[in-house]
Amino acid sequence: ALAAVVPCLASLHSGATADLVRDGQNGYAVDFGDVDGVAERMARLLDDGDLAARMGEAASLHIREHVSLPVSAAGMVRAIEAVVAGRA
């Protein structure tokens, strides 16, 4: 979503994605299991197209400036290691 000029709605439990989302800047990061928080932030983005557009532009810029294949791969490795270790 971030690279596609779309704001991201991520769980703080979702590893690499949560690391990329700057809450309130390029999307929203919510606590794992916070269904009401997800619904509220999703409604906010749907109700305010200008906000969604600004966040989408910020998301795309952040990805272009900070993400590379090695960084993404390292995040995936950390997530897989957490699952294997039973921490997910």
Side-chain angles (χ1 to χ4, degrees):
L2 294 169
V5 195
V6 176
C8 186
L9 188 55
S11 164
L12 292 174
H13 183 72
S14 57
T17 302
D19 292 341
L20 296 172
V21 175
R22 302 293 178 250
D23 190 50
Q25 296 175 9
N26 63 5
Y28 290 114
V30 296
D31 290 324
F32 183 72
D34 182 3
V35 176
D36 292 334
V38 170
E40 186 274 325
R41 285 163 182 85
M42 191 178 296
R44 189 180 305 169
L45 290 170
L46 291 171
D47 290 342
D48 189 341
D50 291 336
L51 173 65
R54 284 192 310 274
M55 283 186 165
E57 288 296 330
S60 179
L61 178 64
H62 183 76
I63 292 299
R64 288 192 312 269
E65 292 180 345
H66 296 85
V67 177
S68 66
L69 182 56
V71 171
S72 297
M76 291 300 293
V77 168
R78 284 193 308 273
I80 291 167
E81 288 172 341
V83 169
V84 170
R87 296 182 303 215

